[in-house]
Amino acid sequence: MNIVIFGPPGAGKGTQSAFLINQFNFFQLSTGDLLRNELKSGSTLASEIENLMNTGKLVSDDIINNLIEKKLTDQSIENRIIFDGFPRNIEQAKTLDSLLGKYSQSISLVLNLKVDYPILSKRISGRVSCSVCKKTFNEFFDPPVSCDHLDCKTRTLIKRSDDNEETVTKRLKIYDESTLPILDYYKDKGIVVDVDAMTEIAKVSEQISNIIKDLKS
Ligand code: AP5
Ligand code: MG
């Protein structure tokens, strides 16, 4: 079963993907994470995408589709992928369908994380992650007490460079204009399930767990 985890910046897509990996052995394919890794590598692509990401704009569809297709050729993750942060516009959604078709796969479920916008800037401004295991915490809602691994004793807590008020406003605007329309595309296919993502993290995970168990049974 392949899943799209859908929602605005700060809705909890990454947080709930981590839960799905642990609970159901899914593989998280986050285009945001792939792009941030590219930035760290200092590649030619890095200079092209850095400014776009830091200003909350979308990276070109060609770059994204290339990153995705590379992953889809990996048979070890076949039919257990969570698409996080992708697709982000109708063109990407259509490309995803045709790429998945090429590799005899499809999307079975779109988890629509529903959140009221006013909470998002606090979630994003409080987000920190462990420099070693990459686990995400929140200074307000999920304090960074300790990580799961011993190696993380040497951790520092990292903030994303696009996690500031100005960029969040732009990211939300782009989400409304380009990303939200995808929901109708998936609703027409009858695969969207709403999740109340305003509640605490564990309760959101519980809802998601029940949805997946229902689909699997
Ligand atoms: P990306 O990395 O995908 O960022 P995003 O979509 O803005 O989403 P976030 O990662 O900010 O939020 P999230 O929903 O994962 O929330 P999280 O779980 O961390 O993209 C970054 C950039 O890359 C884009 O702006 C664009 O430039 C580029 N890009 C990426 N994909 C692209 C694509 N396909 N096409 C073109 N460009 C692309 O949670 C947030 C915080 O809230 C955490 O601290 C967490 O602990 C806390 N939290 C989570 N759930 C709860 C809860 N229920 N209650 C309280 N706190 C919670
Ligand atoms: Mg994320």
Side-chain angles (χ1 to χ4, degrees):
M1 179 195 298
N2 294 315
I3 296 178
V4 169
I5 192 151
F6 190 87
K13 303 183 293 294
T15 304
Q16 296 305 329
S17 295
F19 163 78
L20 285 166
I21 293 167
N22 286 331
Q23 192 76 7
F24 296 101
N25 195 30
F26 276 101
F27 177 88
Q28 178 192 17
L29 212 171
S30 155
T31 41
D33 288 348
L34 290 175
L35 293 168
R36 280 184 285 279
N37 286 341
E38 207 58 53
L39 285 184
K40 271 189 248 154
S41 77
S43 62
T44 6
L45 182 57
S47 53
E48 202 178 318
I49 61 179
E50 187 171 20
N51 187 43
L52 290 171
M53 291 181 75
N54 283 337
T55 51
K57 293 182 186 142
L58 293 187
V59 171
S60 81
D61 290 349
D62 281 353
I63 292 173
I64 298 293
N65 295 338
N66 238 321
L67 289 173
I68 291 288
E69 181 155 18
K70 266 189 209 155
K71 290 285 174 187
L72 291 184
T73 56
D74 179 354
Q75 290 187 345
S76 71
I77 60 170
E78 201 174 285
N79 279 318
R80 59 184 191 93
I81 306 173
I82 311 161
F83 293 95
D84 164 6
F86 175 85
R88 249 177 158 93
N89 57 36
I90 290 286
E91 288 72 28
Q92 289 185 9
K94 289 182 177 163
T95 304
L96 178 60
D97 278 348
S98 65
L99 281 177
L100 283 172
K102 186 170 158 189
Y103 296 99
S104 307
Q105 297 183 62
S106 61
I107 299 291
S108 306
L109 172 67
V110 176
L111 289 167
N112 178 28
L113 303 188
K114 295 190 75 169
V115 197
D116 297 341
Y117 285 12
I119 195 74
L120 295 176
S121 65
K122 194 164 182 191
R123 282 197 188 174
I124 286 175
S125 65
R127 171 165 51 196
V128 286
S129 64
C130 170
S131 57
V132 182
C133 73
K134 316 296 176 212
K135 185 172 163 47
T136 300
F137 299 95
N138 195 285
E139 285 162 345
F140 308 111
F141 305 114
D142 184 21
V145 273
S146 66
C147 293
D148 304 334
H149 308 291
L150 278 176
D151 294 351
C152 301
K153 278 190 177 146
T154 59
R155 77 179 183 192
T156 49
L157 292 170
I158 299 179
K159 273 193 184 280
R160 272 171 43 180
S161 56
D162 59 346
D163 278 353
N164 55 70
E165 195 99 0
E166 196 190 338
T167 313
V168 171
T169 309
K170 283 193 195 143
R171 280 155 66 193
L172 277 173
K173 189 168 181 283
I174 290 181
Y175 175 79
D176 281 340
E177 289 169 358
S178 305
T179 311
L180 208 47
I182 301 176
L183 212 48
D184 284 335
Y185 174 80
Y186 285 128
K187 277 183 181 163
D188 287 345
K189 294 176 185 284
I191 55 172
V192 177
V193 181
D194 288 345
V195 175
D196 172 12
M198 283 298 284
T199 180
E200 60 195 69
I201 293 173
K203 289 195 173 147
V204 179
S205 302
E206 197 182 319
Q207 294 173 63
I208 291 177
S209 176
N210 289 336
I211 293 165
I212 300 220
K213 282 179 190 158
D214 273 359
L215 266 184
K216 285 192 168 189
S217 65

